[in-house]
Amino acid sequence: MGLDAKVPGGPIATKWARHQFELKLINAANKRKYTILVVGTGLAGASAAASLSELGYKVKAFCIHDSPRRAHSIAAQGGINAAKNYPNDGDSVHRLFYDTIKGGDYRSREANVYRLAELSVRIIDHCVAQGVPFAREYGGLLDNSSFGGAQVSRTFYARGQTGQQLLIGAYGALMKEVNRGGVEMLPRREMLELVVIDGKARGIVCRNLITGKLESHAADAVVLATGGYGNAFYLSTNAKACNVTSIWRAHRKGAFLANPCYTQIHPTCIPVLGNYQSKLTLMSESLRNDGRIWVPKKAGDGRPPQEIPEEDRDYYLERKYPSFGNLVPRDVASRNAKNICDAGHGVGPTGMAVHLDFRDAIERLGKKRIAARYGNLFDMYRKIVDEDPYETPMMIYPAVHYTMGGLWVDYNLMSNLPGLHVLGEANFSDHGANRLGASALMQGLADGYFVIPYTIGHYLATTPMEKADASHPAFRAAEQEVRGRLGRLLSLRGGRTVDSFHRELGLLLWNNCGMARSKKSLEDALRRIPALREEFWRNAVVLGDGESFNQALEKAGRVADFLEFSELLVRDALHREESCGGHFREEHQTEEGEAKRDDAHFCYVAAWEFAGPDKAPVLHKEPLEFEAVHLSQRSYK
């Protein structure tokens, strides 16, 4: 079965403008008749809730934390792209569009990516108006830096805390609407079920994480903006609360999950230091602007980095990719780091790290200038590793970071399930098989500020539906379903902790479906995950009760969903007999070890339909058509 992405016709540069005009509108007085639920209050969710409330809709916003300011968006460090061409170095909307299509290895939807590039210029102006303190040049103009996968400087940044500053801007817009009464903020709620009535998403069941009470909320449309599922791998750069539950619950209710195997590995992470770790810490990709990546030329060279002379250093990215050097895309940089360490050239106590060296940049620009750009990142590294990166090269290694897969959405950001809209990292739409750095913040804000306010109005204006409240039988059935699942979790009194299952699952995914995958490793994972899931339901232990604050229960529910979702992730990776972006099948690579696509057989979005417990999911395909760019083998040499 093919999927209708509802992409408007005509030239790509005018699709969005024409589509905006053709969308049906709701007049201002009628907007307040509609209620919209926004689940998640990071950049995508906060911007959407604020924008929809400003238009006049009644909005309920659900936050898993005590405050939206704790959303994982706060951890994005490096910057946000926009095609404003302030440095006058050749950038344009079309070039940002092309770099994003190419960076995603031609596995994203052209029309969505062009719209993203087009809206990028408005995002910066919007955020400046909110007071976001972007870095400025001496003359007062906004400054730009370079990021991987581009040969121009288009990344706007606020030192090494861009995500935090953007989130404060969106948070301010959201809280203004809370204060005005347009948004009802519901903190410390976790969505545990999607409610579908007459084939349309009409509400959610959530759990109050403080009291344990289940709550049902009805609406005319539901917006999911709950981030990605990288924590399926246990060790990742994501905050510990990041999970797959909301989109997995929606998937089980009929929403298709697209390209779950597209997982981005970030090349610039502090390496694993021991078995006690519960997460990994990211060092921003912006550091690759001035830091040079190298390893000793001689395998097993254990000398301190300051004692290794220039002639004994291998700046392998500069050697292999002279056009882009250290600013190759993340998937390319990550695989090269893995390969060089596997060959015995890694550094540090484990040998699974490479150097990121600022010696030359400090000599060229001065320590004061480097500190102004990256000082907070250097401080964070020093606190974690107890080494001074001004004096000693950083050690970095790839880690799970961003997930390009997610719920399938059309051009209007609505899933195949009417009324269910999905924003930001929770959808699949813009990044293909690899996300360019500094484009996650861009997508989240574009979706929330500039896309969903138009498209959700069209859905409401063109979809007849009866009013429904939380007394509807569908809500009662959903609550009963949630109670049954929580009761089953609370009945577990086995001999293993939930964390131990999560660690085992994460290591299995990392080894078998991480930076490199093969038919053998994926088939092995598909044998082991169901067995691990069966043992979880037989031998895990979950203490406490469901009628109070119980983090053990929260964690158990999320890990149970990871155990189900992970099987689909691996199945998707096995079915895609090609390499593209972050999905690297060892059987499909060029003679030079680069990803080798199979456009004849796999130039499509793989969207999976839940067919029932213990049944194979059903594959639906959305063909990818390229009119504005030509399919070609990626090269960054």
Side-chain angles (χ1 to χ4, degrees):
M1 169 185 168
L3 290 169
D4 180 11
K6 296 183 176 63
V7 174
I12 195 166
T14 60
K15 285 183 187 292
W16 177 233
R18 187 172 60 259
H19 189 61
Q20 284 177 292
F21 177 74
E22 292 170 349
L23 290 170
K24 300 298 182 184
L25 300 177
I26 302 172
N27 80 47
N30 286 338
K31 285 189 175 76
R32 54 179 172 265
K33 298 178 182 178
Y34 294 97
T35 299
I36 300 171
L37 308 184
V38 178
V39 186
T41 50
L43 278 182
S47 59
S51 300
L52 293 170
S53 176
E54 286 171 352
L55 287 171
Y57 296 107
K58 295 179 181 177
V59 177
K60 289 185 177 182
F62 299 82
C63 176
I64 200 170
H65 301 290
D66 53 352
S67 166
R69 288 183 61 172
R70 291 177 60 83
H72 182 57
S73 302
I74 204 171
Q77 301 160 336
I80 177 172
N81 289 328
K84 295 184 83 69
N85 195 31
Y86 283 171
N88 199 29
D89 57 358
D91 201 13
S92 65
V93 167
H94 192 84
R95 188 174 295 278
L96 174 53
F97 158 69
Y98 173 76
D99 286 347
T100 307
I101 288 284
K102 177 183 175 183
D105 216 348
Y106 302 90
R107 289 295 177 262
S108 48
R109 188 188 292 148
E110 232 188 19
N112 285 67
V113 176
Y114 193 92
R115 178 175 63 187
L116 180 63
E118 183 182 356
L119 291 174
S120 68
V121 297
R122 296 180 60 190
I123 294 170
I124 299 303
D125 295 338
H126 187 87
C127 294
V128 168
Q130 289 179 327
V132 174
F134 288 118
R136 294 181 180 268
E137 296 175 324
Y138 179 78
L141 298 176
L142 298 182
D143 197 12
N144 290 110
S145 64
S146 298
F147 256 60
Q151 292 178 302
V152 297
S153 295
R154 62 163 70 99
T155 304
F156 294 78
Y157 63 98
R159 209 175 182 187
Q161 47 186 245
T162 312
Q164 177 178 347
Q165 298 303 328
L166 290 171
L167 185 63
I168 290 171
Y171 169 77
L174 173 61
M175 296 311 292
K176 171 179 73 72
E177 291 303 302
V178 172
N179 183 64
R180 189 183 65 81
V183 175
E184 180 184 355
M185 174 60 66
L186 294 140
R188 300 296 284 150
R189 289 346 191 255
E190 181 172 24
M191 172 186 158
L192 295 181
E193 195 58 83
L194 180 72
V195 179
V196 178
I197 301 175
D198 297 330
K200 303 178 185 69
R202 297 299 303 274
I204 66 169
V205 175
C206 63
R207 182 172 180 267
N208 185 316
L209 298 179
I210 302 298
T211 66
K213 181 183 177 182
L214 294 185
E215 302 172 352
S216 288
H217 298 269
D220 299 292
V222 177
V223 174
L224 294 187
T226 51
Y229 47 82
N231 274 344
F233 290 79
Y234 189 76
L235 285 180
S236 82
T237 66
N238 291 263
K240 290 302 291 180
C242 295
N243 61 79
V244 77
T245 291
S246 63
I247 66 171
W248 187 248
R249 294 291 119 201
H251 174 61
R252 289 177 62 102
K253 281 297 177 73
F256 296 170
L257 237 167
N259 301 335
C261 77
Y262 288 167
T263 306
Q264 180 168 81
I265 314 294
H266 198 294
T268 317
C269 182
I270 296 179
V272 176
L273 300 175
N275 293 330
Y276 55 84
Q277 283 182 265
S278 62
K279 74 177 299 294
L280 296 171
T281 303
L282 181 70
M283 289 287 101
S284 169
E285 182 175 323
S286 62
L287 295 171
R288 290 200 276 150
N289 270 286
D290 292 305
R292 299 180 71 191
I293 295 172
W294 64 274
V295 293
K297 288 182 177 178
K298 181 181 178 182
D301 190 336
R303 288 178 290 175
Q306 301 93 326
E307 297 179 11
I308 300 178
E310 192 71 11
E311 60 270 19
D312 290 341
R313 301 182 176 194
D314 180 11
Y315 297 92
Y316 59 91
L317 291 178
E318 298 174 33
R319 168 173 56 82
K320 294 181 67 175
Y321 307 98
S323 292
F324 283 76
N326 296 301
L327 288 173
V328 293
R330 291 174 178 178
D331 63 313
V332 177
S334 294
R335 280 196 297 274
N336 275 274
K338 177 183 184 299
N339 292 340
I340 206 83
C341 290
D342 288 348
H345 295 268
V347 301
T350 66
M352 301 305 286
V354 299
H355 287 308
L356 179 61
D357 195 344
F358 288 85
R359 181 197 63 182
D360 294 348
I362 290 172
E363 289 180 1
R364 184 178 72 253
L365 301 171
K367 182 177 179 179
K368 186 176 179 181
R369 184 84 175 272
I370 294 299
R373 289 181 179 177
Y374 313 115
N376 59 314
L377 299 172
F378 278 40
D379 291 344
M380 185 163 58
Y381 182 89
R382 181 169 50 232
K383 288 177 181 178
I384 293 172
V385 183
D386 196 27
E387 289 185 354
D388 185 355
Y390 294 105
E391 304 294 335
T392 305
M394 289 183 178
M395 289 184 293
I396 57 170
Y397 193 71
V400 170
H401 179 54
Y402 188 92
T403 53
M404 287 78 67
L407 291 181
W408 183 89
V409 292
D410 62 18
Y411 190 69
N412 293 326
L413 302 185
M414 188 166 76
S415 76
N416 62 292
L417 194 59
L420 180 65
H421 298 75
V422 192
L423 312 185
E425 191 178 2
N427 75 32
F428 89 97
S429 66
D430 291 6
H431 307 298
N434 174 58
R435 179 176 70 81
L436 287 186
S439 60
L441 303 178
M442 178 172 61
Q443 187 209 347
L445 293 180
D447 287 356
Y449 283 136
F450 298 116
V451 180
I452 198 63
Y454 282 90
T455 60
I456 204 168
H458 175 79
Y459 167 74
L460 295 171
T462 58
T463 306
M465 64 181 85
E466 296 181 3
K467 282 293 179 182
D469 59 30
S471 65
H472 192 283
F475 283 91
R476 303 282 77 77
E479 285 185 17
Q480 198 62 31
E481 200 173 329
V482 172
R483 285 195 180 91
R485 191 162 65 247
L486 295 178
R488 188 181 177 198
L489 288 167
L490 288 165
S491 71
L492 296 176
R493 291 293 188 269
R496 283 187 63 178
T497 64
V498 168
D499 260 347
S500 73
F501 283 99
H502 196 180
R503 283 180 183 274
E504 185 174 343
L505 173 66
L507 187 60
L508 171 61
L509 289 177
W510 177 250
N511 289 336
N512 291 44
C513 194
M515 272 191 284
R517 304 106 185 256
S518 67
K519 182 179 181 183
K520 181 180 178 182
S521 73
L522 295 170
E523 288 178 341
D524 177 57
L526 281 179
R527 284 191 297 270
R528 293 168 61 188
I529 291 173
L532 185 63
R533 186 168 63 244
E534 186 276 331
E535 186 187 353
F536 172 87
W537 287 109
R538 176 175 47 82
N539 196 31
V541 57
V542 181
L543 301 177
D545 60 56
E547 307 303 317
S548 61
F549 179 74
N550 188 344
Q551 290 185 307
L553 177 60
E554 293 173 37
K555 186 183 300 182
R558 294 166 194 168
V559 172
D561 288 333
F562 278 138
L563 283 163
E564 290 185 7
F565 163 76
S566 296
E567 188 171 342
L568 181 62
L569 185 155
V570 174
R571 187 184 294 272
D572 184 50
L574 181 62
H575 117 273
R576 189 168 285 276
E577 290 276 0
E578 65 167 353
S579 290
C580 53
H583 168 65
F584 191 78
R585 285 285 295 269
E586 294 175 342
E587 305 94 329
H588 305 287
Q589 54 183 300
T590 66
E591 292 181 0
E592 297 176 320
E594 306 292 346
K596 186 177 181 180
R597 298 193 319 270
D598 182 354
D599 295 330
H601 299 100
F602 292 97
C603 195
Y604 59 76
V605 176
W608 298 91
E609 177 184 3
F610 182 72
D614 302 317
K615 293 183 180 179
V618 179
L619 174 62
H620 303 272
K621 300 178 182 179
E622 179 200 333
L624 292 172
E625 299 176 357
F626 295 92
E627 300 173 2
V629 296
H630 298 291
L631 288 164
S632 62
Q633 176 67 36
R634 279 198 312 170
S635 175
Y636 292 94
K637 295 184 181 296

